[in-house]
Amino acid sequence: MSVYTKITEAELELHLKNYSVGKVLNFSGISEGIENSNYLLTTENGEFIFTIFESIKTPKIEQYLSFMNHMKLNGLLSPLVIKSNDGALFKTIKNKPSAIIEKLDGKSLIHPNSDHCSQLGKVLANFHIHGSNFRPEIENPRSILWVEEALETLEGLIDQNKLSLIKNAIEIQKYFLKIDLPSGMIHADLFRDNILFSKNRISGIIDFYYSCKGMYIYDIAVVVNDWCSQENSTIDYKKLNSLLAEYNKHRKITDNEKNQWKSALVSAALRFYLSRLLDLYFPKIGEITHIKDPTVFENILIDRIESEHQISL
């Protein structure tokens, strides 16, 4: 979450005539994240996140917001997208689509423990279960085509060691994608900053803007690469086993998925390594921006390729 499109309180008050959320009491930009412009909006009726979509196309915005409300109605800890007075999920401001979204209680954790990972295992399994009946399915914006285009964009900017690492990982991902594995709607970006905790319990899931149809084991790998990585980039198996054991109580991980665990970890690490490299070399210009260090995922990717990784349940 960042601020690329700046709006005044007067512009906001005019825009809010499309909604029934009450008078503005407070309004401020949020710095976390890198994709959209986000503001904390406090009105007479409560607290909301006001999001301006900077690059997502209109049809996909409709899908993402519909998916969020689908998950909310199925009992997941997802924020509710507030509909406008005419029933729309988003409205245009400064020629860009925007949405008003319920602000959930809680804060993200920097250093989660095994119990937090166990809670996440249950939430992730329920996400996969309840997302399975959402239609229409959303295409992956970070597909293998995006991966190959990212590599082409970065050639000439990064050194040969990085290029070789990426090319090796791409070959692993191409093989992985040929395997027929359980799939459905996945979050695809469930990092620590996208899970909220209140009183040491998970209170919310946020940032659904990479949700898509994908392999469940890939989504688990995205989570593990962030939640269960140690400072030296290796996996903390106590956290991993806590997460997987709870996940498996609600949705069984198949033997075929277990066999592709290493490839899933590599594919998930590659995606975030590339996105961080692109953000580093081609930063968006905004009032408040936050660029994440690609070296973190470079080291994770190296570990996932060079080490043996298996699921034992």
Side-chain angles (χ1 to χ4, degrees):
M1 299 178 183
S2 301
V3 173
Y4 304 105
T5 299
K6 189 175 181 181
I7 58 174
T8 65
E9 190 165 327
E11 289 171 326
L12 177 66
E13 287 178 345
L14 180 62
H15 182 75
L16 290 186
K17 290 183 178 181
N18 293 302
Y19 295 86
S20 299
V21 294
K23 183 180 178 181
V24 176
L25 300 179
N26 196 29
F27 180 60
S28 58
I30 300 173
S31 63
E32 290 84 1
I34 55 175
E35 293 297 331
N36 302 310
S37 293
N38 288 274
Y39 293 87
L40 175 61
L41 169 64
T42 304
T43 76
E44 296 169 314
N45 292 0
E47 290 187 317
F48 306 91
I49 302 298
F50 180 63
T51 297
I52 302 173
F53 298 96
E54 299 293 342
S55 57
I56 305 173
K57 302 298 182 184
T58 297
K60 278 220 165 180
I61 294 170
E62 181 82 28
Q63 290 178 321
Y64 290 137
L65 298 179
S66 294
F67 181 56
M68 289 169 65
N69 279 359
H70 169 84
M71 298 304 269
K72 175 76 172 184
L73 293 173
N74 277 277
L76 203 75
L77 299 170
S78 167
L80 180 70
V81 181
I82 308 301
K83 291 185 177 181
S84 66
N85 294 332
D86 61 359
L89 289 168
F90 65 92
K91 288 288 185 180
T92 299
I93 187 169
K94 286 200 166 179
N95 296 316
K96 295 179 180 180
S98 68
I100 298 176
I101 300 165
E102 172 190 19
K103 182 182 180 297
L104 300 177
D105 291 334
K107 295 182 179 180
S108 58
L109 298 178
I110 298 174
H111 302 293
N113 59 33
S114 295
D115 176 64
H116 300 134
C117 291
S118 177
Q119 292 181 50
L120 180 57
K122 179 179 179 180
V123 167
L124 185 59
N126 285 331
F127 189 102
H128 293 161
I129 292 165
H130 293 303
S132 63
N133 60 355
F134 177 77
R135 297 293 183 275
E137 292 170 336
I138 305 174
E139 292 183 5
N140 183 4
R142 293 291 184 261
S143 65
I144 191 65
L145 177 61
W146 174 86
V147 169
E148 292 177 326
E149 288 176 347
L151 173 61
E152 185 177 343
T153 300
L154 290 166
E155 284 190 286
L157 297 173
I158 57 178
D159 63 43
Q160 190 59 48
N161 289 335
K162 290 181 173 60
L163 279 174
S164 296
L165 174 65
I166 292 168
K167 289 178 180 179
N168 187 6
I170 287 175
E171 291 309 307
I172 293 171
Q173 183 172 3
K174 284 182 176 179
Y175 169 79
F176 173 61
L177 291 172
K178 293 178 181 178
I179 310 299
D180 184 17
L181 297 174
S183 300
M185 287 298 295
I186 62 175
H187 187 283
D189 194 23
L190 208 52
F191 276 42
R192 285 165 287 171
D193 55 358
N194 288 332
I195 289 283
L196 306 178
F197 284 82
S198 179
K199 298 179 181 178
N200 223 29
R201 306 299 299 176
I202 292 180
S203 58
I205 302 174
I206 60 175
D207 202 348
F208 286 65
Y209 306 120
Y210 286 103
S211 296
C212 61
K213 182 181 180 181
M215 298 178 186
Y216 296 136
I217 196 66
Y218 171 85
D219 210 21
I220 298 171
V222 169
V223 169
V224 168
N225 278 342
D226 183 61
W227 287 74
C228 304
S229 286
Q230 304 182 95
E231 287 189 13
N232 65 358
S233 304
T234 62
I235 291 176
D236 182 326
Y237 275 88
K238 183 179 179 181
K239 291 180 180 179
L240 171 66
N241 292 335
S242 295
L243 190 152
L244 294 182
E246 189 62 31
Y247 180 98
N248 209 50
K249 291 178 183 177
H250 304 275
R251 185 202 153 257
K252 292 289 185 182
I253 300 172
T254 68
D255 289 340
N256 284 343
E257 287 177 298
K258 294 176 187 178
N259 292 337
Q260 297 303 319
W261 180 230
K262 178 172 179 173
S263 295
L265 289 170
V266 170
S267 299
L270 173 63
R271 173 262 182 97
F272 290 97
Y273 180 41
L274 288 173
S275 64
R276 290 186 180 192
L277 282 172
L278 290 172
D279 289 334
L280 178 66
Y281 286 103
F282 304 96
K284 295 178 182 177
I285 298 174
E287 182 188 25
I288 305 173
T289 59
H290 182 66
I291 297 175
K292 296 180 179 179
D293 183 7
T295 306
V296 172
F297 267 92
E298 179 178 344
N299 293 333
I300 289 173
L301 181 57
I302 291 169
D303 174 79
R304 304 309 184 255
I305 291 175
E306 294 183 351
S307 302
E308 289 302 318
H309 295 286
Q310 296 178 337
I311 289 178
S312 57
L313 286 172

